[in-house]
Amino acid sequence: MLKPQEERRLQAGHLWIFSNEVNVAATPLTAFTPGEHVQVRSSHDRFLGYAYVNPRTLISGRLLGRDPDYPPGKSLLVHRFKVALAMRERLYPAPFYRLAFGEADLLPGLVVDRYGSVLVAQIGTAGMEAMKGEILDALVKVIDPTAVLWKNDSSIRELEGLERYVETALGQVPDMVEVPEGGVVFRVPLAAGQKTGWYFDQAGNRALLARHAAGQRVLDVFSYAGSFGLQAARAGAAEVTCVDSSASALEAAAETAAANELEVELLKGDAFDMLEALHADRRRFDLVVIDPPAFIKRKKDHPKGLAAYRRLNQLAMQMLDRDGLLLSCSCSYHLGPGELTDSVQRAARHLGRFAQLIGVGAQAPDHPVHPAIEETRYLRAFLFRVVDSC
Ligand code: SAH
C-alpha cells in the first residue's frame, strides 16, 4: 500500500515506486522477498496495478500491468512481446533489432535483442529474474527462435542482489552472427561480445554519418566492431580509421572488413592516448565520430564524467581538418543534452574555432522513449561542423 497522494506519478504513467512512497506501517517492505509479485494499492485501497518488489533497492517496485484481469505471467508477457514486435516489424526491413526495451516497452528490467532467429536477453532486476521461465515460454510462443541466450552479466544486477552469468536458454547459440546494416554485413560476437553483441541504438546515427562520408577521411573513436567506420567505408569514405581498446572488438571489425572487401585501419588502445598520438603524428580527418561508453553511470560520477566528455571532445576536434564534421555521442542519461553541446562549444573556443550544430541524432526506434520516464531517453548524438574562426 502507498502513502497518501503517492499514486499520482503512477497514474501519470510512470512505472516506478520508490521506497519512501510505500506505507511501510501497513505493508513493511522487509516482509517481501526480492522479486515478489504484489498488487499496488493507493492509500484508499484502490487497485493501481501489479508490480514486482525488491526491498533491497531504492526503486522498491516496478509496475508490470494495470489491468486487474492480466496478472503477471506468460499471457501478459506474450501480449507485451506481440505489441513490441508489431512496431519493429512495421519499421525494420529485416529481423535485427531490440525487440524489448525494458520500461519503454512496459517490460521493466528486461531487454531482448533479436538477431534473426537468435535472441539475446538481459535481465536487470530480481522481479524479472523470478519470471525467467515464463519469459522464455512467451518468447518461444511469439518469435519461435532457434536459440536464446541469457546475457545476464551486467553490473547493475549486483544492486538487485543477483548473480552475473551467461547461459544458453534454448538451442545452440552461435558464437558469431551476421548483422546487415548500412550495406555491410557485420560479424558480431554474441556471448563474447559487449552488451548483447551489437549496439542497435546507434543505427540511425550511423546512417547519418554515412550520408556525409563519401570522399572523406573518417576517424571512428570507440568503434567497437567498426559499426560507424565500416558503414562510412561502404558509403565511399576515402580512408577509415577505427580506435578501440578491445582487441576482440577490432578482430570482429577486421573480419567484417575482409568479408565485405572494405579497407580500414584498426588501432588498439586507450582513446585518449590514441587521440594524443594521432595528433602528435599530425594526422588529420574530415569526419570524426566519438561514441564513448557511459562515463556517468551514476549521478555521483557527474563531475568526473563531464570533465572526461569535455577533454574527449577537445581531443577529437583537434584532429579535424578545416571545415570538418564532428559527431559527438553520449549514452549517459545523466549528461544533459545541453552539457554535451556545451562541451563541444568550449572545445571549439579553446581551439580558436567555431562549431555549428547541423544535425541532431537520437536513439533508434527499437529503443523507444517512455515519455514519463526520462531515464529511457539516454542517447545523445550531435553533428557539428567545425570551421576556423575568423
Ligand atoms: N560505436 C560503437 C559502440 C561503442 S561502445 C557502435 O556504434 O557499435 C564503447 C566502446 O568503447 C566499446 O567498444 C569499448 O571497448 C570501447 N572503450 C571503452 N573504454 C575505452 C577507452 N578508454 N579507449 C578506447 N576504447 C574504449
Side-chain angles (χ1 to χ4, degrees):
M1 183 175 278
L2 300 183
K3 289 181 188 163
Q5 317 287 349
E6 296 293 6
E7 70 278 9
R8 285 189 196 163
R9 195 159 27 77
L10 291 182
Q11 279 174 336
H14 211 292
L15 304 179
W16 296 348
I17 301 153
F18 290 97
S19 50
N20 63 348
E21 295 163 358
V22 178
N23 178 346
V24 287
T27 50
L29 279 167
T30 46
F32 297 106
T33 54
E36 190 173 334
H37 289 163
V38 298
Q39 285 191 16
V40 185
R41 308 198 77 92
S42 73
S43 57
H44 302 295
D45 202 28
R46 205 160 64 77
F47 174 82
L48 296 170
Y50 295 106
Y52 59 70
V53 173
N54 192 341
R56 299 171 53 124
T57 48
L58 194 62
I59 302 172
S60 55
R62 296 180 200 229
L63 217 59
L64 286 163
R66 298 172 191 270
D67 186 335
D69 296 335
Y70 280 96
K74 183 180 162 188
S75 70
L76 179 68
L77 292 166
V78 165
H79 173 68
R80 292 270 187 270
F81 288 137
K82 280 187 176 164
V83 173
L85 178 64
M87 183 263 275
R88 278 73 178 177
E89 285 190 326
R90 187 194 293 184
L91 297 180
Y92 286 77
F96 296 86
Y97 39 68
R98 175 150 295 189
L99 170 66
F101 181 45
E103 272 73 351
D105 280 303
L106 304 181
L107 289 161
L110 178 67
V111 158
V112 184
D113 280 355
R114 180 169 191 188
Y115 300 91
S117 68
V118 178
L119 301 177
V120 182
Q122 293 190 306
I123 289 175
T125 58
M128 274 293 163
E129 188 81 13
M131 293 206 283
K132 211 172 136 184
E134 290 149 316
I135 294 168
L136 182 62
D137 289 348
L139 287 172
V140 167
K141 174 142 194 210
V142 177
I143 305 288
D144 191 22
T146 55
V148 180
L149 182 70
W150 290 119
K151 193 93 184 288
N152 288 337
D153 56 357
S154 143
S155 58
I156 52 162
R157 286 174 62 91
E158 280 167 12
L159 299 174
E160 293 267 332
L162 295 170
E163 278 176 44
R164 295 161 71 171
Y165 62 89
V166 178
E167 165 188 295
T168 297
L170 180 85
Q172 292 273 333
V173 179
D175 292 340
M176 285 276 207
V177 289
E178 293 191 331
V179 176
E181 200 189 282
V184 181
V185 179
F186 285 91
R187 303 267 298 152
V188 173
L190 293 184
Q194 295 177 18
K195 302 282 170 80
T196 74
W198 187 245
Y199 292 92
F200 286 113
D201 55 351
Q202 284 282 28
N205 301 325
R206 293 190 282 252
L208 172 69
L209 186 86
R211 279 208 289 284
H212 296 278
Q216 308 290 294
R217 293 162 295 171
V218 177
L219 175 62
D220 176 1
V221 190
F222 304 96
S223 67
Y224 186 48
S227 351
F228 276 95
L230 292 172
Q231 287 182 52
R234 174 59 84 228
E239 44 176 85
V240 173
T241 303
C242 290
V243 174
D244 203 282
S245 57
S246 157
S248 61
L250 294 178
E251 240 168 69
E255 280 185 33
T256 299
N260 290 267
E261 297 179 354
L262 296 169
E263 284 209 15
V264 62
E265 176 187 26
L266 301 171
L267 302 176
K268 182 184 164 315
D270 173 71
F272 293 85
D273 297 345
M274 297 305 290
L275 284 169
E276 303 260 23
L278 286 166
H279 184 58
D281 284 351
R282 298 183 176 278
R283 292 281 300 270
R284 285 289 173 272
F285 298 90
D286 309 301
L287 205 48
V288 178
V289 53
I290 44 175
D291 182 22
F295 289 146
I296 314 180
K297 287 213 173 67
R298 306 214 202 144
K299 219 172 177 176
K300 67 172 172 51
D301 306 331
H302 187 274
K304 236 177 118 184
L306 180 60
Y309 284 107
R310 283 186 179 158
R311 178 147 171 261
L312 190 60
N313 277 289
Q314 189 168 316
L315 288 169
M317 194 178 293
Q318 229 170 225
M319 310 301 309
L320 275 182
D321 216 336
R322 293 173 61 186
D323 208 0
L325 299 181
L326 172 66
L327 180 62
S328 181
C329 308
S330 154
C331 57
S332 298
Y333 156 71
H334 294 291
L335 183 77
E339 290 178 316
L340 185 55
T341 52
D342 180 63
S343 298
V344 176
Q345 162 63 12
R346 279 165 180 258
R349 283 311 307 140
H350 187 82
L351 299 171
R353 303 180 87 176
F354 171 53
Q356 297 170 301
L357 182 61
I358 60 167
V360 178
Q363 59 211 62
D366 58 349
H367 290 62
V369 171
H370 187 316
I373 307 179
E374 261 307 305
E375 287 81 350
T376 60
R377 192 198 313 264
Y378 66 98
L379 189 66
R380 337 248 177 244
F382 295 107
L383 183 65
F384 283 93
R385 172 190 185 220
V386 182
V387 293
D388 292 334
S389 278
C390 52

